[in-house]
């Protein structure tokens, strides 16, 4: 359902943009987020975008990363600036919606992950 892309090798201080393409409208109905998992560590939330327009970021990326989405194209973005070696991880996108009588069935989709390596 979700296809993440845009990862790669970048030097400290550099920038990358991650894309997550969906085959149908999923990001605007609930919450859409980016998570990451570094070797030997648990998966953690990086940034999340709620359907009402509110966003949240992990403290470690505030001011450097920006989450956004294009609802017409069904794409979720993560713009990453001022990258640090600690940002090295596999990044995953996620679209989730809770089921309700008003909005229909819920779902929880994950992308396959894209590797981001920050190193000189």
């Amino acid at each position: 359902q979700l296809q993440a892309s845009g990862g790669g090798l970048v030097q400290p201080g550099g920038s990358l943009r991650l894309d997550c393409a969906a085959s149908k409208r999923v990001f605007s109905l609930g919450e859409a987020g980016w998570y990451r998992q570094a070797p030997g560590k648990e998966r953690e939330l990086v940034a999340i975008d709620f359907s009402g327009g509110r966003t949240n970021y992990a403290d470690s990326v505030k001011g450097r990363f920006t989450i956004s989405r294009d609802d017409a194209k069904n794409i979720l973005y993560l713009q990453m600036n001022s990258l640090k070696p600690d940002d090295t991880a596999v990044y995953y996108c996620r679209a989730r919606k809770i089921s309700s009588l008003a909005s229909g069935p819920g779902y929880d989709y994950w992308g396959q992950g894209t590797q981001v390596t920050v190193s000189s």
Side-chain angles (χ1 to χ4, degrees), residues 5 8 16 34 46 52 55 72 105:
S5 62
L16 280 176
W34 288 95
V46 176
T55 57

Side-chain angles (χ1 to χ4, degrees), residues 10 18 34 52 57 64 68-69 74 84 86 89:
V10 63
L18 304 183
W34 288 95
Y57 296 89
R64 300 188 297 122
S68 63
R69 63 175 199 257
N74 295 323
K84 305 175 181 179
D86 284 349

Side-chain angles (χ1 to χ4, degrees), residues 16-102:
L16 280 176
R17 192 189 78 179
L18 304 183
D19 294 2
C20 180
S23 56
K24 60 183 181 180
R25 181 186 177 208
V26 293
F27 297 128
S28 61
L29 300 178
E31 60 184 51
W34 288 95
Y35 295 73
R36 68 186 180 188
Q37 187 166 18
K41 295 186 177 181
E42 294 187 353
R43 190 173 297 187
E44 63 174 357
L45 174 67
V46 176
I48 192 164
D49 179 290
F50 297 97
S51 59
R54 183 169 57 92
T55 57
N56 277 341
Y57 296 89
D59 288 343
S60 60
V61 307
K62 281 181 181 177
R64 300 188 297 122
F65 290 11
T66 302
I67 188 171
S68 63
R69 63 175 199 257
D70 185 330
D71 291 340
K73 297 180 179 179
N74 295 323
I75 300 178
L76 180 72
Y77 302 103
L78 184 68
Q79 179 66 45
M80 304 186 295
N81 299 327
S82 303
L83 282 161
K84 305 175 181 179
D86 284 349
D87 295 319
T88 296
V90 177
Y91 284 71
Y92 300 88
C93 54
R94 183 186 191 186
R96 183 170 65 166
K97 174 184 167 298
I98 297 173
S99 62
S100 72
L101 291 176

